[in-house]
Amino acid sequence: MSVDTMKPPAGSRGPSLDAPTNPLTAILMLAAIAATLAFIGYSIYSDVQDAGAQPTTLLPFLLLFVALLIALGFEFVNGFHDTANAVATVIYTHALPANVAVVWSGFFNFIGVLLSSGAVAFGIISLLPVELILQVGSSSGFAMVFALLIAATIWNLGTWWLGLPSSSSHTLIGSIIGVGITNAMMHGASGTSGVDWGQATNIGKALLFSPLIGFGAAALLFLSAKALIRNPELYQEPKGNQPPPLWIRALLIFTCTGVSFAHGSNDGQKGMGLIMLILIGTMPTAYALNRAMPESGIAAFVQNSDAASAAIAKVGAVDVADPHAVLTTYVETRTISPDTLPALGAMVTALKDNVQGYDSLKQIPAAAVGNTRNEMYLASETIRYLGKARSAPLDATGMAALTAYKGSLDSATKFIPLWVKIAVAIALGLGTMVGWKRIVITVGEKIGKTHLTYAQGASAELVAMGTIAAADMYGLPVSTTHVLSSGVAGTMAANGSGLQWSTVRSLLLAWVLTLPASMLLSGVLFFLFSQVF
């Protein structure tokens, strides 16, 4: 059922959402898109030239161009699909006019992306099947990237069209799981073996509990405000189209700003991680290793390699014919064999021998870059799983040495160039400024039976801002949509305003269907693309 068919709360005084678009705005937006594409092209050209790569065909550039368009298109849709939640409260409390609010939110989404850490980006990537990550430049790797991005975008557009605030995070993770299960089944394994269920469970818990936290914490904050702040204006619906008192208005704008910034710093990273996979697959010489890592990083890598080798040697040395195959099997099955640690020790030694002869990673020959990156990634993932093993294969000192070594590996392989951040920031920011109306109406008019008050809007936004910022610190993706819409519902319940259950049922239905639908979509697309590429 489309939420657009549901009735707004009786007696509501909605804001003006139908202001005509200034032609200059459209021209400026098109100019921004053109400038972004030119900036991306120049950045890639500069990186490829600096790496000394000499592509012999145009195919890598064509694949890169198409994949980047899809990835940035996902972030653009994410902008108007998710960030509309951040501006709904300031628009419906008349703290900011709608056209000002979306530009304001878009700008702080932009800033949030630029200042993000990258932890969420690589947390998302760790859900993908390791064999596809190691072969991301193969046909299967491209099938994976295209399938999960297109599936996530299709579902986001469909729920946006119906005015349903579903979660882009939920959608993307479902798409990743769908690709993992399908890939395992296509290779004769059980579907459950294609996904890192430990990581998926951690992310799933964050997505499951964040809306419950949003509902409960926003309700408690609202009730606390009623008990402590006895200003009647806070708990009354806006009068006509008049803006709220200055201090209330400042609070509402602050919370909108915080949610927009937090959304950019968390959601923006999901696209970054996938763009890095695309770049590594098409231009490995330029992007497989962190060419900006300082010389001191090489010295630290060699030192940590020696410590890791010494820790592994304490449990005994065994010759392993193919360390890469042994570690790949371990990462896929998470079952430690007698060869696992010796294979890791052999790979640590080989990587040290390959790297220590150079002053920086940019000096590694182009022909060796892709393989070096894969070996580093495989060793890092092996150490990550060893750290989660129920019975630690090494003592605390040995695991500490491996953890320090993993840090050096990740510094070399898990990085995001500044231009990628800028491109994603612009896509997310521009997306925020268009297409926001459908979701804003749902959040502002169709969750509660009464008009949103200042205190309700501020409570929901404060909780959303804090929840997303906390998740970002721990590298966990959460849904801005779920946290904020559930926060609004929590304040309505706490105030005794009542909920529009037709909307709530639609939101719950979208929440329940998002994961299986995106899994099915991405699985089917991955199978089809695997036959084509």
Side-chain angles (χ1 to χ4, degrees), residues 262-504:
H263 177 267
S265 68
N266 192 282
D267 275 45
Q269 295 188 52
K270 296 154 194 169
M272 289 183 207
L274 296 173
I275 287 174
M276 287 310 301
L277 283 182
I278 294 166
L279 291 171
I280 291 167
T282 53
M283 304 288 175
T285 304
Y287 297 107
L289 296 175
N290 184 5
R291 297 170 56 81
M293 194 169 84
E295 292 183 12
S296 60
I298 297 294
F301 178 82
V302 172
Q303 181 180 353
N304 289 331
S305 297
D306 288 336
S309 295
I312 295 171
K314 290 181 180 179
V315 300
V318 178
D319 289 333
V320 179
D322 190 348
H324 183 96
V326 171
L327 296 187
T328 300
T329 300
Y330 169 67
V331 170
E332 291 175 352
T333 64
R334 268 81 81 184
T335 301
I336 299 176
S337 72
D339 288 341
T340 302
L341 279 178
L344 178 61
M347 188 166 286
V348 170
T349 301
L351 283 171
K352 174 193 168 186
D353 292 342
N354 290 341
V355 170
Q356 69 177 348
Y358 306 101
D359 293 328
S360 70
L361 293 180
K362 67 171 61 177
Q363 295 178 357
I364 294 178
V369 166
N371 185 64
T372 301
R373 185 257 176 192
N374 280 349
E375 303 291 79
M376 285 183 168
Y377 184 85
L378 187 56
S380 175
E381 288 296 282
T382 298
I383 295 170
R384 180 167 74 90
Y385 286 122
L386 288 174
K388 294 181 178 181
R390 292 185 179 180
S391 55
L394 298 174
D395 59 21
T397 303
M399 288 307 299
L402 289 186
T403 301
Y405 177 65
K406 182 181 185 301
S408 292
L409 293 172
D410 292 346
S411 295
T413 59
K414 296 181 179 180
F415 66 99
I416 300 173
L418 179 60
W419 73 262
V420 173
K421 287 190 173 185
I422 293 173
V424 170
I426 292 173
L428 193 65
L430 290 178
T432 302
M433 299 178 197
V434 301
W436 48 269
K437 181 179 174 182
R438 290 176 181 270
I439 306 297
V440 162
I441 290 174
T442 298
V443 175
E445 295 183 8
K446 296 171 181 174
I447 292 179
K449 290 184 176 179
T450 61
H451 196 287
L452 194 71
T453 67
Y454 305 131
Q456 288 173 323
S459 298
E461 292 265 25
L462 279 170
V463 168
M465 178 177 67
T467 303
I468 299 167
D472 194 31
M473 289 175 58
Y474 290 99
L476 293 171
V478 295
S479 167
T480 303
T481 302
H482 287 165
V483 175
L484 199 135
S485 57
S486 62
V488 171
T491 62
M492 290 291 176
N495 196 42
S497 306
L499 297 172
Q500 295 194 55
W501 286 106
S502 55
T503 304
V504 173

Side-chain angles (χ1 to χ4, degrees), residues 81-298:
H81 187 276
D82 279 23
T83 317
N85 296 277
V87 298
T89 55
V90 291
I91 291 174
Y92 272 85
T93 55
H94 306 299
L96 286 175
N99 56 343
V100 175
V102 295
V103 173
W104 182 272
S105 179
F107 174 75
F108 282 97
N109 263 277
F110 178 90
I111 299 299
V113 175
L114 289 184
L115 298 180
S116 60
S117 65
V120 173
F122 298 110
I124 289 287
I125 288 177
S126 66
L127 285 173
L128 292 166
V130 66
E131 66 270 21
L132 292 183
I133 295 178
L134 296 178
Q135 301 171 15
V136 70
S138 67
S139 58
S140 295
F142 283 109
M144 168 189 71
V145 172
F146 283 129
L148 64 90
L149 281 173
I150 292 173
T153 303
I154 289 173
W155 184 255
N156 274 352
L157 285 174
T159 52
W160 165 80
W161 182 256
L162 296 174
L164 294 172
S166 70
S167 166
S168 294
S169 303
H170 210 165
T171 304
L172 184 59
I173 289 165
S175 298
I176 290 172
I177 293 174
V179 167
I181 291 174
T182 304
N183 178 68
M185 295 176 68
M186 287 173 63
H187 290 84
S190 66
T192 56
S193 66
V195 178
D196 178 359
W197 290 108
Q199 181 72 359
T201 300
N202 290 335
I203 291 175
K205 287 178 180 177
L207 290 171
L208 173 64
F209 290 119
S210 55
L212 300 178
I213 292 171
F215 185 95
L220 287 174
L221 183 59
F222 176 77
L223 291 174
S224 299
K226 288 191 79 171
L228 299 173
I229 306 174
R230 300 302 180 90
N231 187 333
E233 286 183 302
L234 269 177
Y235 313 105
Q236 297 172 0
E237 67 177 74
K239 299 174 181 178
N241 290 321
Q242 294 300 313
L246 182 60
W247 73 275
I248 299 175
R249 190 177 192 183
L251 175 62
L252 289 164
I253 293 173
F254 168 75
T255 56
C256 168
T257 303
V259 171
S260 300
F261 179 88
H263 177 267
S265 68
N266 192 282
D267 275 45
Q269 295 188 52
K270 296 154 194 169
M272 289 183 207
L274 296 173
I275 287 174
M276 287 310 301
L277 283 182
I278 294 166
L279 291 171
I280 291 167
T282 53
M283 304 288 175
T285 304
Y287 297 107
L289 296 175
N290 184 5
R291 297 170 56 81
M293 194 169 84
E295 292 183 12
S296 60
I298 297 294

